[in-house]
């Protein structure tokens, strides 16, 4: 049931229109525009936007923060970096980042 709800929520976020718009934000993670949190990466992948990056982090038990890097900054595609810690926030218009708001909650798959 939780997976179905999350999928529907992602579909709504994707259908919202403007790229990189903060259409859907998580109650579990902050949403920090123009912010980079460099370091502590355990995975990175192409990403269509910061919303999807935030939701990818929510699905990983070890993920405590994320950074979405706009296309053209580190190559032609946008990237999502998932992090095992919460690095220091730094103002930079290259990115949108987020950090876990509270204690981690285990999500079993």
């Amino acid at each position: 049931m939780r997976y179905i709800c999350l999928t529907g929520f992602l579909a709504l976020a994707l259908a919202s229109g403007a790229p990189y718009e903060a259409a859907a934000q998580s109650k579990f993670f902050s949403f920090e525009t123009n912010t980079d949190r460099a370091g502590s990466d355990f995975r990175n992948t192409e990403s269509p936007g910061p919303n999807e990056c935030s939701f990818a982090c929510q699905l990983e038990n070890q993920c405590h923060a994320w950074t979405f890097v706009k296309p053209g900054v580190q190559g032609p595609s946008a990237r999502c970096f998932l992090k095992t810690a919460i690095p220091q926030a730094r103002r930079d218009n290259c990115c949108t980042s987020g950090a876990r708001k509270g204690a981690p909650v285990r999500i079993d798959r």
Side-chain angles (χ1 to χ4, degrees), residues 40-45 56 60 62 80-83 109:
S40 301
D41 305 331
F42 70 88
R43 179 178 307 131
N44 79 79
T45 185
E60 296 281 347
Q62 66 182 337
C80 175
F81 291 82
L82 304 181
K83 299 160 182 301
R109 294 187 195 190

Side-chain angles (χ1 to χ4, degrees), residues 46-106:
E46 287 186 20
S47 179
N51 295 317
E52 294 79 12
C53 191
S54 174
F55 289 123
C57 189
Q58 287 180 56
L59 296 175
E60 296 281 347
N61 290 323
Q62 66 182 337
C63 191
H64 296 278
W66 56 272
T67 294
F68 171 79
V69 180
K70 295 176 185 177
V73 175
Q74 293 186 332
S77 300
R79 306 291 301 171
C80 175
F81 291 82
L82 304 181
K83 299 160 182 301
T84 57
I86 302 175
Q88 183 69 36
R90 180 178 57 87
R91 299 296 280 166
D92 192 329
N93 66 359
C94 71
C95 309
T96 299
S97 295
R100 191 179 299 275
K101 290 181 181 177
V105 176
R106 180 157 182 86

Side-chain angles (χ1 to χ4, degrees), residues 6-35:
L6 181 60
T7 302
F9 196 58
L10 281 172
L12 286 174
L14 288 171
S16 69
Y20 317 128
E21 182 178 317
Q25 295 184 21
S26 167
K27 67 179 183 177
F28 304 109
F29 286 82
S30 62
F31 204 90
E32 308 155 346
T33 57
N34 298 319
T35 302

